[in-house]
Amino acid sequence: MASVRCKLARYLEDLEDVDLKKFKMHLEDYPPQKGCTALPRGQTEKADHVDLATLMIDFNGEEKAWAMAVWIFAAINRRDLYEKAKRDEPEWGEWKEDKNAHVSVECREGSLEEEWMGLLGYLSRISICKKKEDYCKKYRRHVRSRFQCIKDRNARLGESVNLNKRYTRLRLVKEHQSQQEREHELRAIGRTSAKMRDGPVSSMNLDLLFEPEDQHSEPVHTVVLQGSAGIGKTILARKIMLDWASETLYQDRFDYLFYIHCREVSLGMRRSLGDLMVSCCPDQKPPICKIVRKPSRILFLMDGFDELQGAFDEHTEALCTDWRKVERGDILLSSLIRKRLLPEASLLITTRPVALEKLQHLLDRPRHVEVLGFSEAKKKEYFFKYFSDEQQAREAFRLTQENEVLFTMCFIPLVCWIVCTGLQQQMDSGKSLAQTSKTTTAVYIFFLSSLMQSRGGSQKHHVSANLRGLCSLAADGIWNQKILFEEGDLRNHGLQKADVSAFLRVNLFQKEVDCEKFYNFIHMTFQEFFAAMYYLLEEEKQWGTKNMPAGHSELPNRDVTVLLENYGKFEKGYLIFVVRFLFGLINQERTSYLEKKLSCKISQEIRLELLKWIEAKAKARMLQTQPSQLELFYCLYEMQEEAFVQRAMDNFPQIKINLSTRMDYVVSSFCIENCHSVESLSLRLLHDSPKEEEEEEEEEEDVGHCHVDQCDHPGPLDAPSHRLRRCCLSHRCCAHVSSALSSSQTLVELDLSHNALADCGVGLVCVGLRHAFCNLQKLWLVNCCLTSTCCVDLAFVLSTSQSLTRLYVGENALGDSGVGILSEKAKHPQCNLQKLGLENSGLTSDCCPALSSVLSANQNLTHLYLRGNALGDIGVKLLCKGLLHPSCKLQLLELDNCSLTSHCCWDLSTLLTSNRSLQQLSLGGNELGDLGVTLFCEVLRQQGCVLRCLRLCKMYFNYATICALETLQEEKPELTIVFEPSQ
């Protein structure tokens, strides 16, 4: 057993450099009332994690040292270490006895016989424990062997990929979805992209899935991992099994993990839970009875609940309560989920959102965790793991990244895999990589055509026949919500076993290892893709007579009207993707490509039907019928045929949709570009605003927006606010933006942030801003790849525009010279600028004299954002000169992360006592020290101080300073102080 010192040292080893410094700081300032001795700084300053653990124990003993560590972990926001240390805390009363149990013998009176009996009992208990431990080890080895490799979808026979080498970490967040969000997986995919980029959500680690929210919450016994198609739920489930078997996950919580593939349970074989557990074990006689005696130490991992066949609405009396009783598979799992069978066992269930409605009413207080796919960094990591050649990985990633839309879609691991596979095949064949596409349909067409193209002769006929069989099989499965197919199903659709093996050379059709007579598409989206093709392939007379055996089942209805009528209905939720693929497939270029590659004839007759359907849905919007306008736009975007889209968009005189993801922006932009008859445009933007914008008052809920890159008709200009953040714009659109500014007197807000406009683009925008008709009041150019060059044009606007009151140009490399140019014009008497954002602009103290002169000259300026610039104490001293000028009317000043120390506190204190306008001061992320903040406390107590809000975020103080801040808040309730609270 590891000593307390060793265990404590291991915890401290997990602290990064910054956290270790904070830990040491709290050790030095440890509150004396907690009964522990603070450590002297001279001894902690150069101590590593081992030295630090030793010092803590030397000064306070093992138990108090452990308590100190737990408290400090919470104080520095390392919740993961805090919770682990709480769980791992030794039992102090028995610690020393356990420690010496093997080296000491207690002498006691009694007969020799009693001593021998006691010794035999002790040895017997050791033997039983050893047997249990031995089987646990045996089972772990089996699980490790079973899950350490995965078979790639396009692997040859016998090939596999090491899971640890391929697995790329997925982002998980606690989620509580609404019914509307659960209804359509398409929205789930879109929301995922939004959260990956914008959402202020905190990621969740796997080891905390079953941990309670806090010490007062009840333990978590059921976790639902939900995620859209292809988001990586199954790989994540396999990774959990492997990590547990490798003793890196849930070691202190679960003795056994059992992996249940819901697809297998759907086969209809009756069995008991014990039988199911035995099937997971390395032999036929595992100690199941002993295992189930401790159900709280068991975790059942149910993968793919949405693929589970059977009813789940039986009365509770039909459920099973005996793990030995043989039942139908769905009854068995329903009993587990409803906690009628082994109620103390824990459950981890993976599912698509479409099945949440069915699952939700079975669960009791579950924790919902959403799988969000890859973050931006993890996309790159996946590419480098997929390609063994680093140069190939770099080239593939660069090409994909250049295609903004495709790169956005790569947050879905399945799409990432398809893109990598397609690029790998192009590289291997020496072809150009320019075929990388931007819609899901195009990606699938390229990938599938590279697998299925015919080589002429008799094989040409086989490709065509097998393709038709695949399409009819897929459509039949979609309509009957069937994903598992027997060999009889394949025969009914003209697919013989030999034909499948020969045709699907790279394992497009996956044969289940444990269920030899059952087949399934490698992923649901492939089944949906083939189902869409079923409505487009022209019939061949010889196909029906030659390939279809006598007595085969009736083929699905080929009437596309029936398909469209069912679009969007929950019980037929998969049809959403089928219809989207349908639009993508009738693109004439893609049709020709497929006909050439696959030697089949694709009908274009349904184009008119699809157009009529769009027209009907557009007119029915007032009835609130599904699908929504945005969903229709996704269908049109998938098609990528401008003439068709323009005809369809003529039916949308009024457009009103919500945008929450980058894909929503791209899709709506494409459609609005091709809409020449729109009369009213209202798009609600569901994104996080920049910090400066949070200071703005809540204005209209719906704001206007149009994408104008390379568009002769930029759309309606009567909307008061145009927000084009993250719309993939470049300098090429800026002439249109300038035209809009010079022709619209109603446009008062324009947000172009996070677009690569560059200096030349902003120069064009400024031409419109200087026009007499331009009444723009607020302009955002945050993170637009700007330099000091553009400041000449912006400065001219400041001195001439009578309307512009707010300018945000942060996160650009303006530098001191650029801000100097802006400052000269900001002092102009005609400059009406009220708010100026210059955060993260590469500024130093050299720009502060210029800014100080603006503060003393411009009485309109009330808000100045300077966070993230290395101004230093000297810079603040220079700013204070302007702030102390009688003409200065500044109300808000942000100096977060500006490299400030306690030396600037005297100047700021003087400012607080003398300035009569400053109401908000933000100083977070600086090293002001306890002395400097104590000085602020004294100054803020004075009657003449008008400050109403002081922000000291991300700063850590000793106990006395925290007490002083808390006391000040009590004394002056009108003053808000934001700081890291005491624990």
Side-chain angles (χ1 to χ4, degrees):
M1 183 180 293
S3 67
V4 173
R5 186 170 72 95
C6 290
K7 293 175 76 173
L8 191 57
R10 280 201 296 269
Y11 277 102
L12 298 179
E13 192 176 8
D14 288 341
L15 294 173
E16 297 176 0
D17 290 344
V18 175
D19 286 338
L20 187 61
K21 286 182 180 178
K22 294 176 184 177
F23 189 94
K24 291 179 179 180
M25 180 185 72
H26 281 282
L27 275 179
E28 297 158 13
D29 299 326
Y30 199 81
Q33 64 267 32
K34 291 188 177 288
C36 297
T37 304
L39 271 62
R41 183 177 182 183
Q43 297 197 38
T44 63
E45 193 169 9
K46 296 184 178 180
D48 61 13
H49 57 280
V50 177
D51 298 333
L52 209 55
T54 304
L55 284 170
M56 291 171 68
I57 292 172
D58 288 347
F59 272 81
N60 291 283
E62 292 179 341
E63 185 172 357
K64 288 185 177 180
W66 192 276
M68 290 177 78
V70 171
W71 185 86
I72 296 173
F73 288 151
I76 64 175
N77 293 322
R78 285 301 301 267
R79 183 177 176 83
D80 55 335
L81 294 179
Y82 168 79
E83 292 179 344
K84 281 185 181 179
K86 290 282 284 185
R87 289 197 310 268
D88 203 22
E89 184 173 5
E91 297 180 11
W92 301 108
E94 302 174 7
W95 181 258
K96 291 185 179 178
E97 293 177 17
D98 292 341
K99 186 176 178 182
N100 299 320
H102 302 290
V103 295
S104 65
V105 178
E106 183 180 350
C107 295
R108 60 184 175 85
E109 295 182 1
S111 67
L112 184 62
E113 182 180 354
E114 289 175 343
E115 291 185 10
W116 273 108
M117 290 300 291
L119 180 59
L120 287 173
Y122 175 69
L123 293 174
S124 175
R125 287 193 297 274
I126 289 178
S127 176
I128 292 170
C129 292
K130 192 168 190 312
K131 284 180 181 178
K132 176 189 172 184
E133 184 181 346
D134 286 347
Y135 193 81
C136 282
K137 287 183 178 179
K138 182 179 180 180
Y139 180 71
R140 287 180 194 274
R141 284 196 301 269
H142 171 70
V143 172
R144 194 161 56 244
S145 174
R146 180 183 172 191
F147 289 95
Q148 67 184 354
C149 290
I150 54 172
K151 190 173 182 182
D152 218 346
R153 292 183 176 90
N154 60 338
R156 297 182 181 88
L157 186 64
E159 283 186 342
S160 61
V161 179
N162 184 285
L163 176 57
N164 280 329
K165 289 183 178 179
R166 174 63 64 84
Y167 178 78
T168 305
R169 185 178 176 183
L170 299 163
R171 193 174 177 195
L172 311 176
V173 295
K174 280 182 258 186
E175 180 68 14
H176 301 281
Q177 286 191 315
S178 67
Q179 184 176 354
Q180 184 181 5
E181 288 170 333
R182 294 200 302 267
E183 188 174 355
H184 300 298
E185 290 184 48
L186 175 59
R187 292 187 181 182
I189 291 176
R191 273 187 317 105
T192 305
S193 181
K195 287 181 183 176
M196 295 305 295
R197 188 192 75 243
D198 295 325
V201 291
S202 57
S203 294
M204 191 174 198
N205 293 330
L206 284 177
D207 55 353
L208 299 179
L209 285 182
F210 292 92
E211 294 301 319
E213 295 284 351
D214 51 56
Q215 58 185 356
H216 304 295
S217 301
E218 293 185 11
V220 178
H221 294 296
T222 302
V223 175
V224 177
L225 282 176
Q226 64 188 65
S228 51
I231 208 70
K233 300 182 294 297
T234 293
I235 289 293
L236 180 60
R238 297 182 69 89
K239 176 65 172 171
I240 289 171
M241 293 296 297
L242 180 60
D243 284 354
W244 172 81
S246 303
E247 301 186 50
T248 59
L249 187 66
Y250 303 144
Q251 294 312 293
D252 298 329
R253 191 174 187 96
F254 302 117
D255 292 333
Y256 288 91
L257 263 67
F258 293 101
Y259 180 87
I260 299 175
H261 202 311
C262 294
R263 188 184 301 164
E264 298 173 7
V265 181
S266 298
L267 297 177
M269 295 170 53
R270 294 172 63 85
R271 66 178 100 179
S272 68
L273 180 61
D275 296 333
L276 201 56
M277 294 166 71
V278 169
S279 68
C280 298
C281 294
D283 52 69
Q284 292 301 309
K285 292 184 178 180
I288 297 296
C289 292
K290 292 179 180 177
I291 292 172
V292 297
R293 282 177 193 162
K294 293 186 177 180
S296 62
R297 303 290 297 175
I298 300 173
L299 171 64
F300 291 102
L301 200 162
M302 300 181 190
D303 187 24
F305 176 83
D306 51 290
E307 300 178 20
L308 187 63
Q309 301 293 324
F312 279 80
D313 55 359
E314 288 90 349
H315 298 293
T316 53
E317 55 264 23
L319 298 177
C320 175
T321 58
D322 186 352
W323 61 270
R324 289 161 293 213
K325 186 179 179 182
V326 175
E327 286 284 4
R328 277 195 347 245
D330 56 332
I331 296 289
L332 208 59
L333 294 194
S334 180
S335 303
L336 266 177
I337 292 170
R338 296 191 193 200
K339 298 294 184 180
R340 296 295 192 275
L341 186 57
L342 298 186
E344 295 176 18
S346 295
L347 304 176
L348 180 60
I349 306 168
T350 74
T351 183
R352 274 185 174 191
V354 291
L356 280 176
E357 195 74 16
K358 178 171 66 175
L359 176 62
Q360 191 63 34
H361 77 277
L362 306 175
L363 301 173
D364 179 33
R365 290 170 298 181
R367 167 176 285 170
H368 283 274
V369 176
E370 187 168 11
V371 184
L372 297 185
F374 294 146
S375 64
E376 296 291 302
K378 294 304 177 182
K379 292 179 193 176
K380 183 175 183 179
E381 182 180 320
Y382 183 90
F383 272 75
F384 278 78
K385 285 186 174 182
Y386 183 94
F387 291 91
S388 55
D389 186 297
E390 186 176 336
Q391 186 57 39
Q392 283 188 342
R394 202 177 304 280
E395 176 69 6
F397 182 76
R398 184 186 63 79
L399 285 167
T400 307
Q401 197 174 27
E402 286 175 357
N403 188 325
E404 182 82 23
V405 180
L406 184 60
F407 186 66
T408 300
M409 290 164 59
C410 281
F411 76 88
I412 305 172
L414 177 68
V415 175
C416 216
W417 174 78
I418 290 173
V419 170
C420 287
T421 302
L423 291 173
Q424 178 77 73
Q425 291 175 351
Q426 284 179 276
M427 289 177 175
D428 292 345
S429 62
K431 295 179 182 177
S432 167
L433 298 183
Q435 294 183 50
T436 306
S437 190
K438 60 182 178 179
T439 69
T440 310
T441 307
V443 171
Y444 277 39
I445 284 174
F446 169 73
F447 175 66
L448 294 170
S449 65
S450 68
L451 304 181
M452 299 189 296
Q453 58 183 308
S454 63
R455 299 181 181 177
S458 61
Q459 191 175 356
K460 178 178 180 179
H461 171 71
H462 285 304
V463 168
S464 177
N466 286 336
L467 178 60
R468 294 175 189 282
L470 281 171
C471 292
S472 62
L473 179 71
D476 189 38
I478 289 291
W479 282 107
N480 293 293
Q481 297 189 38
K482 187 175 183 179
I483 55 175
L484 282 172
F485 305 96
E486 300 178 26
E487 289 182 334
D489 295 322
L490 271 62
R491 284 194 299 271
N492 288 340
H493 291 275
L495 292 168
Q496 303 304 317
K497 181 178 179 182
D499 293 335
V500 172
S501 301
F503 178 67
L504 304 171
R505 306 185 293 276
V506 288
N507 199 27
L508 180 65
F509 222 20
Q510 179 179 323
K511 185 175 181 180
E512 289 292 332
V513 175
D514 297 327
C515 319
E516 292 187 358
K517 295 182 180 179
F518 288 80
Y519 298 82
N520 67 285
F521 286 87
I522 60 172
H523 196 273
M524 194 66 210
T525 49
F526 285 101
Q527 184 172 346
E528 292 155 351
F529 179 87
F530 280 122
M533 287 194 70
Y534 176 73
Y535 292 92
L536 296 173
L537 289 176
E538 290 188 359
E539 295 187 44
E540 292 183 1
K541 295 180 181 179
Q542 68 272 23
W543 177 60
T545 58
K546 186 173 181 179
N547 286 26
M548 301 297 287
H552 71 273
S553 60
E554 186 178 347
L555 291 176
N557 191 328
R558 292 174 64 89
D559 186 357
V560 75
T561 306
V562 178
L563 174 69
L564 296 174
E565 285 175 353
N566 284 278
Y567 176 90
K569 292 185 179 179
F570 180 77
E571 65 272 17
K572 302 289 183 185
Y574 293 139
L575 296 184
I576 293 173
F577 295 95
V578 175
V579 172
R580 183 182 290 190
F581 279 127
L582 196 63
F583 273 86
L585 285 164
I586 62 168
N587 175 286
Q588 291 177 334
E589 269 187 44
R590 294 175 194 157
T591 297
S592 300
Y593 180 80
L594 277 174
E595 289 180 342
K596 178 182 177 182
K597 294 289 184 182
L598 305 182
S599 302
C600 59
K601 189 67 176 174
I602 296 178
S603 172
Q604 289 284 323
E605 292 179 4
I606 69 166
R607 289 171 66 91
L608 185 58
E609 290 183 64
L610 293 178
L611 185 60
K612 288 180 179 177
W613 179 70
I614 289 281
E615 291 173 356
K617 292 300 179 183
K619 292 174 182 176
R621 278 301 299 151
M622 294 304 294
L623 301 176
Q624 298 298 314
T625 56
Q626 291 294 328
S628 69
Q629 284 188 336
L630 183 58
E631 288 169 352
L632 294 175
F633 287 2
Y634 265 95
C635 291
L636 294 173
Y637 175 79
E638 200 68 29
M639 190 177 183
Q640 288 291 308
E641 196 172 299
E642 291 187 3
F644 185 97
V645 175
Q646 287 170 6
R647 287 187 63 187
M649 290 302 297
D650 284 341
N651 298 284
F652 292 89
Q654 295 183 339
I655 298 175
K656 184 176 181 180
I657 55 179
N658 295 339
L659 303 179
S660 60
T661 74
R662 184 180 299 178
M663 277 304 297
D664 289 348
Y665 277 84
V666 173
V667 167
S668 59
S669 298
F670 172 78
C671 291
I672 293 170
E673 278 183 1
N674 288 286
C675 184
H676 301 157
S677 59
V678 64
E679 299 169 2
S680 172
L681 176 62
S682 178
L683 279 75
R684 187 182 179 196
L685 306 174
L686 307 177
H687 60 70
D688 290 338
S689 302
K691 189 168 182 182
E692 303 89 344
E693 196 175 339
E694 292 175 6
E695 309 295 337
E696 306 289 341
E697 298 158 351
E698 195 77 20
E699 298 184 3
E700 293 184 20
E701 183 175 87
D702 293 328
V703 293
H705 156 268
C706 66
H707 179 97
V708 294
D709 198 359
Q710 298 179 326
C711 177
D712 295 328
H713 304 272
L717 300 172
D718 55 349
S721 174
H722 286 240
R723 298 192 180 182
L724 304 167
R725 304 178 80 233
R726 294 184 174 93
C727 284
C728 316
L729 304 181
S730 67
H731 64 88
R732 294 192 302 273
C733 77
C734 291
H736 298 295
V737 174
S738 182
S739 175
L741 289 167
S742 60
S743 60
S744 172
Q745 294 184 332
T746 59
L747 182 61
V748 294
E749 293 185 21
L750 178 61
D751 188 349
L752 295 169
S753 299
H754 306 285
N755 294 295
L757 306 182
D759 296 327
C760 57
V762 170
L764 293 170
V765 172
C766 288
V767 173
L769 289 169
R770 295 196 297 267
H771 197 278
F773 285 164
C774 179
N775 289 321
L776 196 76
Q777 298 173 11
K778 305 172 187 178
L779 176 61
W780 285 267
L781 294 171
V782 177
N783 189 22
C784 287
C785 304
L786 309 181
T787 69
S788 59
T789 304
C790 73
C791 292
V792 176
D793 296 306
L794 288 172
F796 191 56
V797 171
L798 291 179
S799 63
T800 56
S801 174
Q802 296 295 306
S803 61
L804 190 66
T805 59
R806 299 170 194 186
L807 176 64
Y808 304 111
V809 287
E811 297 183 37
N812 291 295
L814 304 184
D816 296 325
S817 58
V819 171
I821 295 170
L822 288 176
S823 299
E824 278 301 310
K825 297 299 182 182
K827 294 187 293 184
H828 197 280
Q830 290 187 337
C831 178
N832 294 317
L833 195 65
Q834 297 172 5
K835 299 184 180 183
L836 177 61
L838 295 169
E839 71 285 354
N840 295 305
S841 295
L843 309 182
T844 70
S845 59
D846 291 344
C847 74
C848 292
L851 287 173
S852 183
S853 64
V854 174
L855 292 169
S856 59
N858 189 331
Q859 297 188 39
N860 295 313
L861 191 64
T862 59
H863 291 60
L864 182 59
Y865 305 92
L866 294 171
R867 68 178 181 274
N869 293 295
L871 305 182
D873 299 327
I874 297 175
V876 168
K877 188 179 185 70
L878 295 168
L879 283 177
C880 286
K881 291 182 179 179
L883 290 163
L884 290 169
H885 195 279
S887 299
C888 178
K889 304 299 180 186
L890 199 73
Q891 298 173 15
L892 181 148
L893 176 62
E894 274 194 3
L895 293 171
D896 302 78
N897 299 301
C898 285
S899 305
L900 308 184
T901 71
S902 58
H903 294 293
C904 72
C905 292
W906 178 256
D907 296 297
L908 290 173
S909 298
T910 305
L911 170 69
L912 293 176
T913 56
S914 305
N915 184 289
R916 309 305 300 168
S917 63
L918 191 64
Q919 297 180 11
Q920 298 183 55
L921 178 61
S922 188
L923 298 168
N926 292 298
E927 298 291 336
L928 299 184
D930 296 298
L931 185 62
V933 175
T934 304
L935 179 60
F936 282 149
C937 291
E938 293 301 320
V939 170
L940 291 169
R941 282 192 176 89
Q942 298 181 21
Q943 293 291 334
C945 181
V946 299
L947 196 72
R948 290 294 173 265
C949 181
L950 175 64
R951 295 180 179 272
L952 301 171
C953 301
K954 297 182 181 178
M955 298 168 67
Y956 301 93
F957 312 115
N958 62 27
Y959 181 74
T961 305
I962 292 175
C963 288
L965 288 167
E966 291 173 344
T967 302
L968 179 60
Q969 277 194 317
E970 293 175 2
E971 292 176 359
K972 296 192 71 173
E974 71 276 10
L975 173 63
T976 300
I977 306 177
V978 182
F979 64 97
E980 304 295 333
S982 59
Q983 298 295 323

